[in-house]
Amino acid sequence: MSVPETLARARAPRALEAAKPVAAPAEAEPNVEAGGLMARISRLWERDPVPDAAAVEPLLNARLTDVAANKLARLWCAGYTAADGKRRRAMLGALAQAAEACRERSEPCTRMFKRFNALPDGLRFLVDLRADMLRWRKQVAGLQPLDKELEELLSAWFDVGLLELRRLTWDSPASLLEKLIIYEAVHEIRSWDDLRHRVAGDRRCYAYFHPQMPDVPLIFVEVAFSAQMADDVQALLDTQAPAPDLDKARWAIFYSISNTQAGLRGISFGNFLLKRVIERLLEEQPRLKSFATLSPMPGLRDWLSKLSAQEVEQIVREGKNRVRAGAPDGARWAERLARSATGKPSEALRRAGLRLAAHYVQAMKNGQPVDPVARFHLGNGARAERLNWAADVSAKGLQQSCGMMVNYLYELDKLDDNLSRLGQGKPSASRAIARLA
């Protein structure tokens, strides 16, 4: 596959990945005497697969061994896979109505999902189905409780003990390497050389796989090695930079972590991924001493832009209440910091930007860090270790975080203590960051 073809496919709508077809093998018509109603519904679905709630009820009520109900499940899944968005919403609406009737009778709805899971490619279908549920749960009445039941099942079916950790290299199948391009959510892979660089022998790329979805990485992490904690992502991504001397490397830097399946939102295995990766790295590179990220702050600029001039002044002027005449509000500060990241700012401006970032990284709402990346790493027991000025001056880096990035430090013997602090509403941060905030 050529580079242009690969990149074109990466940017094209991924309809195939969004909803894998569910096989519908031929099967003898169920005995009409034993299941005449289901047989008639089956023929109706074959003509127009938009069943109402009454037609869907056998999927929830019939035994898992019921042949007729299982054929209806195959027809429903095949019809859903082939449907457009409008029809899918209607089909989900019927499921939600039928599920509500079951709950009124104090019956669980899990039997239907187990029936789907037993189909060929059923687990993949359910992951894609939940992605649609999350997309439309505020538009389709009764969908949220149904989504919750599916989430609980998927949490069990994707238990970390069932997942396989694999290293991806340049010798991995081309179909898997292409998925790295498609799913990379932090730093876009821009060329074939870029991809080769990220899976080179002096780097590591690991991914979790489920045995029922062996060709789909569920989450992957990209790792670089360094003599010190990294502070510039462009340097890490530079394909022309000399390869590091692994004998002198003491730091492993996690510079990109990407979840690939929207349908697995809320099912966290990132913590287990990083712990297992660290264990694997120590086996391969026993001289490593420290493990850290070089992470974006994707919500920083949006958060800053909503602050008033008084709120900004209280942060950058260390709590002083008096607002200077004509002091800029957060939106003007965001523009100024982004421009300065590619220039030569004064030390006062640089320190003000870092102070704002330190305040943001430790900001909490409803018991959780405000920033989604901070929520992930602090929720995994890491510590916010260092803020880095002009660490990502790409268009995305300037747009999201005014060019700044943060290192989160993973110390295996302190993860539980850090989690305990977070539970008390006190996210763990180094003294340098705490002083800035």
Side-chain angles (χ1 to χ4, degrees):
M1 183 185 302
S2 68
V3 178
E5 289 172 336
T6 302
L7 295 178
R9 291 178 63 183
R11 290 169 173 80
R14 303 302 297 178
L16 183 61
E17 293 299 330
K20 293 282 185 180
V22 176
E27 182 177 315
E29 187 75 18
N31 182 277
V32 174
E33 185 175 346
L37 175 60
M38 290 187 185
R40 290 194 295 275
I41 294 173
S42 171
R43 289 192 291 272
L44 173 63
W45 287 10
E46 288 171 341
R47 294 194 299 270
D48 183 16
V50 187
D52 59 17
V56 169
E57 283 190 11
L59 295 177
L60 291 87
N61 300 330
R63 297 185 308 274
L64 290 175
T65 55
D66 191 297
V67 174
N70 291 340
K71 178 177 180 179
L72 294 182
R74 285 194 294 274
L75 289 169
W76 193 94
C77 292
Y80 187 88
T81 299
D84 59 15
K86 182 177 180 181
R87 179 165 291 191
R88 286 187 178 194
R89 285 195 297 272
M91 295 175 75
L92 282 175
L95 279 187
Q97 291 179 36
E100 182 61 31
C102 280
R103 280 189 289 273
E104 289 176 357
R105 299 192 298 269
S106 299
E107 298 174 2
C109 304
T110 55
R111 184 177 294 174
M112 173 182 64
F113 296 129
K114 292 178 180 178
R115 194 186 309 280
F116 289 164
N117 187 42
L119 297 174
D121 255 353
L123 187 61
R124 190 187 309 246
F125 173 81
L126 284 171
V127 172
D128 294 332
L129 181 71
R130 183 163 184 262
D132 284 347
M133 287 183 171
L134 291 170
R135 185 181 304 119
W136 295 320
R137 61 182 175 176
K138 294 184 179 180
Q139 302 174 28
V140 178
L143 198 55
Q144 292 190 37
L146 192 63
D147 165 62
K148 188 64 178 176
E149 292 194 50
L150 179 53
E151 180 185 356
E152 291 176 359
L153 283 174
L154 290 175
S155 294
W157 291 335
F158 283 89
D159 183 270
V160 68
L162 302 174
L163 304 182
E164 177 191 3
L165 183 68
R166 275 192 248 160
R167 180 184 169 189
L168 303 183
T169 71
W170 188 244
D171 294 325
S172 297
S175 59
L176 281 181
L177 294 177
E178 183 193 10
K179 287 182 172 65
L180 292 184
I181 297 175
I182 296 166
Y183 293 128
E184 170 58 65
V186 184
H187 304 293
E188 180 184 359
I189 298 175
R190 299 180 178 276
S191 69
W192 200 249
D193 284 341
D194 190 0
L195 176 60
R196 184 195 295 267
H197 179 60
R198 300 198 194 193
V199 296
D202 60 350
R203 301 250 168 160
R204 295 294 184 271
C205 180
Y206 296 99
Y208 262 150
F209 293 84
H210 192 282
Q212 289 180 243
M213 300 170 61
D215 58 341
V216 179
L218 305 176
I219 181 173
F220 63 87
V221 56
E222 298 170 57
V223 188
F225 299 109
S226 175
Q228 60 277 322
M229 189 164 58
D231 61 0
D232 184 341
V233 77
Q234 267 75 47
L236 287 183
L237 298 176
D238 184 2
T239 59
Q240 303 302 315
D245 184 345
L246 297 187
D247 289 335
K248 296 181 179 179
R250 297 296 180 266
W251 286 81
I253 306 297
F254 308 123
Y255 63 92
S256 180
I257 302 173
S258 297
N259 288 289
T260 71
Q261 303 301 303
L264 296 179
R265 187 191 310 167
I267 302 169
S268 177
F269 28 71
N271 184 18
F272 298 99
L273 170 71
L274 291 178
K275 286 182 178 178
R276 287 183 64 181
V277 166
I278 290 174
E279 292 171 358
R280 181 77 63 86
L281 290 172
L282 286 171
E283 292 173 3
E284 298 177 6
Q285 302 289 332
R287 296 184 181 183
L288 291 173
K289 300 298 183 184
S290 302
F291 304 87
T293 75
L294 182 58
S295 298
M297 294 179 280
L300 172 62
R301 186 162 180 172
D302 182 64
W303 167 85
L304 177 56
S305 296
K306 295 175 181 178
L307 298 184
S308 67
Q310 182 173 359
E311 289 170 323
V312 173
E313 287 282 289
Q314 287 178 340
I315 295 171
V316 300
R317 291 169 63 80
E318 303 183 55
K320 295 179 180 178
N321 292 323
R322 189 172 63 85
V323 180
R324 295 169 297 165
D329 60 13
R332 288 171 60 192
W333 264 101
E335 291 292 338
R336 186 180 180 187
L337 292 173
R339 286 196 308 270
S340 300
T342 57
K344 295 181 179 180
S346 66
E347 181 58 28
L349 179 62
R350 178 179 170 278
R351 185 169 180 80
L354 292 174
R355 189 179 294 281
L356 288 163
H359 191 89
Y360 171 71
V361 163
Q362 298 176 85
M364 302 280 285
K365 183 178 181 180
N366 299 326
Q368 294 292 328
V370 170
D371 183 75
V373 175
R375 195 178 310 139
F376 176 85
H377 289 298
L378 296 176
N380 284 340
R383 180 176 76 213
E385 185 68 10
R386 187 178 70 188
L387 290 162
N388 302 291
W389 175 264
D392 182 4
V393 293
S394 68
K396 183 177 181 180
L398 295 173
Q399 177 60 36
Q400 291 187 339
S401 56
C402 306
M404 290 178 280
M405 300 187 79
V406 58
N407 299 114
Y408 293 100
L409 183 66
Y410 278 83
E411 296 178 293
L412 295 183
D413 60 348
K414 295 183 179 179
L415 298 182
D416 290 340
D417 288 343
N418 292 339
L419 280 172
S420 178
R421 286 175 52 86
L422 183 64
Q424 299 168 14
K426 301 174 182 178
S428 184
S430 67
R431 290 182 180 179
I433 289 181
R435 283 197 300 267
L436 282 171

